[in-house]
Amino acid sequence: MAILSWPIALHFFRMNKKVRQVAVLGLYLSVLFSLYLVPLGMYSPCIKEAGTLGPAPTLIGHRGAPMLAPENTVMSFEKAVEAGGEGLETDVTISYDGVPFLMHDSTLKRTTNVAEVFPNRTHIDASMFTWAELQQLNAGGWFLSRDPFGTVSSLSESDQSQAHNQSVPSLAQFLEVAARTGRLVLFDLRRPPYGHPYSQSYINTTLQVIQAHINSSQVLWLPSEDRDLVQAVDPQLQQTSGEKASIQELTDDHITRLNLHYSTMSQQQIRKYQSVNISTNLYVISQPWLYTLAWCAGAHSVTTNSIHILSSINKPLFLMTPEEYSLMWILTDVVSAFLIIAVFIFHWYDHTHTHTHRHTCFSDN
């Protein structure tokens, strides 16, 4: 607006009609004053009193470390641990013969070579394959050929070779990685389709694998089906909800953590839940600036695709007190107002001086 004041002031003093002058100046000043008042309506959780910033959110690897290895593979989870992740997130379904395994999509097309091994079954639900059939698939080649995050070229030759040889892991293999490294685990559990042998017993089948391979207290139990039954069978599980609800409803369900999309992030709500010891995990946060906002808002943890990037951030990218924020905007407004007034005075003086000079020359002639 300060830059625009130059051509606006120049044309303002050259205009002959008062109506045009009033219209141009009125429009300019209304926009200018609106911008001056914008800071009063702006909000950021990173504008806070000194000493009120909490600890950095812990990092949960979204399907492992999908920028460094094929998602939902043992390599991906090991990379997430190496990069500093304190938790591992995945997706679980049940094979036709009752083996819980890791797969996000309903089919195997995107992340395996099922089109080569079982060309007539590419559209069949992943849970309709037996564990022996799933073990015939390659779960890493697609990552190298499609390069979903544009990161393959940055990987070493040994990492690329390892990525190419990944297979579909069982839930047991995944839990063994978490148990060995002391990491939390968070997973979605997909119910098998109607007619599947385990469509009714998939929860019990999953619980049995958990109890056999990891301390239940390391598991953030997200599935909402039969939550009361699950709580009764294994009270050590950390009951986690994917939906916001009243504090009463959450405490009745023994919820200790919320797993929410970052767009629902509210500093006030996070504080409200924290006051009754319900922590908040936000997903999927992979950009440093968004991680900064989650940190300032008080999120306990975040699910991320970029653990290797966020783990190196030791302070918010931007953080200021309300006083610093006010001072910044007031100084900016004052400086811009001074420049704009100076520009208008200059053009007024130039216009007056030029007009007087022409009038004198005309009189002399």
Side-chain angles (χ1 to χ4, degrees), residues 10-176:
L10 178 65
H11 290 291
F12 174 82
F13 289 111
R14 288 182 177 179
M15 289 178 181
N16 295 322
K17 294 184 177 180
K18 290 287 185 183
V19 175
R20 287 186 179 179
Q21 286 183 314
V22 171
V24 170
L25 189 60
L27 177 62
Y28 176 77
L29 291 178
S30 63
V31 174
L32 180 64
F33 286 125
S34 296
L35 289 174
Y36 282 167
L37 297 176
V38 160
L40 297 177
M42 290 181 69
Y43 164 78
S44 169
C46 289
I47 300 172
K48 59 200 308 154
E49 296 291 348
T52 61
L53 179 68
T58 56
L59 303 176
I60 297 177
H62 184 233
R63 306 174 200 168
M67 291 186 177
L68 305 177
E71 67 176 58
N72 280 335
T73 61
V74 170
M75 178 186 179
S76 187
F77 297 113
E78 289 177 340
K79 286 291 184 183
V81 171
E82 290 174 15
E86 295 191 30
L88 305 171
E89 185 272 349
T90 188
D91 313 275
V92 178
T93 190
I94 313 292
S95 72
Y96 196 75
D97 51 348
V99 178
F101 67 97
L102 310 190
M103 183 60 54
H104 174 266
D105 301 354
S106 60
T107 69
L108 303 168
K109 287 190 299 181
R110 182 175 64 88
T111 57
T112 75
N113 63 338
V114 67
E116 298 172 15
V117 183
F118 302 105
N120 298 323
R121 302 173 66 188
T122 57
H123 295 283
I124 293 178
D125 194 284
S127 63
M128 302 306 283
F129 288 76
T130 65
W131 179 240
E133 290 170 335
L134 291 167
Q135 287 299 281
Q136 297 177 46
L137 302 176
N138 180 291
W142 72 274
F143 174 76
L144 299 175
S145 60
R146 297 183 197 172
D147 197 5
F149 294 95
T151 53
V152 168
S153 61
S154 66
L155 303 181
S156 66
E157 286 187 16
S158 62
D159 277 352
Q160 291 188 35
S161 176
Q162 184 182 357
H164 189 270
N165 293 318
Q166 293 300 297
S167 58
V168 176
S170 66
L171 174 60
Q173 290 173 298
F174 164 69
L175 294 176
E176 285 167 3

Side-chain angles (χ1 to χ4, degrees), residues 237-252:
L237 294 167
Q238 295 189 45
Q239 294 295 331
T240 304
S241 176
E243 298 179 1
K244 287 188 288 186
S246 68
I247 288 177
Q248 187 62 50
E249 289 175 298
L250 294 174
T251 52
D252 287 347

